[in-house]
Amino acid sequence: GRVDSDTFFSSVRSIRGFRCVQLFVQHVTNFIYVKCLQFESQSHAALQDFIRKVGAPELLVTDNSQTQTGKKWTETCRQYCIDQGTTEPDNQNQNFIEIYILLL
């Protein structure tokens, strides 16, 4: 099914040095996978971990950030036959994760 993903940043660094998280949310089941990151550039590794531990989704929707539409991210999606989708800039309500976080 469809999985939405986005990187969220914190103004405070965790005890282990994490500054942000990569979230993956599956639409139908509301399953959430969270991967802590020290840098946004590690989001590709979070995608690989998600695929390894949870499985490859049919569709992966992200915003238009360079790390989530770049060469590494796209190559991994092609390798696992994952369709990619992006939301329109400045329309946070299109990404299910943005809505989901507001509900928590």
Side-chain angles (χ1 to χ4, degrees):
R2 176 179 168 170
V3 171
D4 284 17
S5 183
D6 202 359
T7 307
F8 288 89
F9 300 91
S10 174
S11 59
V12 179
R13 186 185 300 207
S14 75
I15 294 171
R16 295 187 178 104
F18 298 120
R19 298 178 182 181
C20 54
V21 296
Q22 186 73 31
L23 290 175
F24 298 87
V25 175
Q26 204 278 336
H27 269 251
V28 177
T29 63
N30 290 331
F31 174 79
I32 301 174
Y33 180 83
V34 179
K35 183 69 177 180
C36 296
L37 311 172
Q38 293 176 336
F39 304 101
E40 183 181 11
S41 61
Q42 296 172 322
S43 65
H44 175 255
L47 172 62
Q48 291 175 319
D49 288 344
F50 175 77
I51 293 169
R52 183 173 37 254
K53 294 180 180 180
V54 178
E58 292 176 15
L59 173 64
L60 183 61
V61 177
T62 62
D63 58 16
N64 287 304
S65 71
Q66 181 59 38
T67 56
Q68 296 172 6
T69 58
K71 186 176 179 180
K72 286 181 175 180
W73 191 278
T74 301
E75 286 177 359
T76 299
C77 287
R78 284 183 182 149
Q79 179 181 359
Y80 292 98
C81 299
I82 301 170
D83 287 332
Q84 288 180 272
T86 57
T87 58
E88 294 179 27
D90 302 320
N91 285 310
Q92 294 178 345
N93 61 336
Q94 291 182 345
N95 193 324
F96 186 67
I97 286 183
E98 304 279 354
I99 297 167
Y100 194 85
I101 293 299
L102 292 175
L103 296 175
L104 292 177

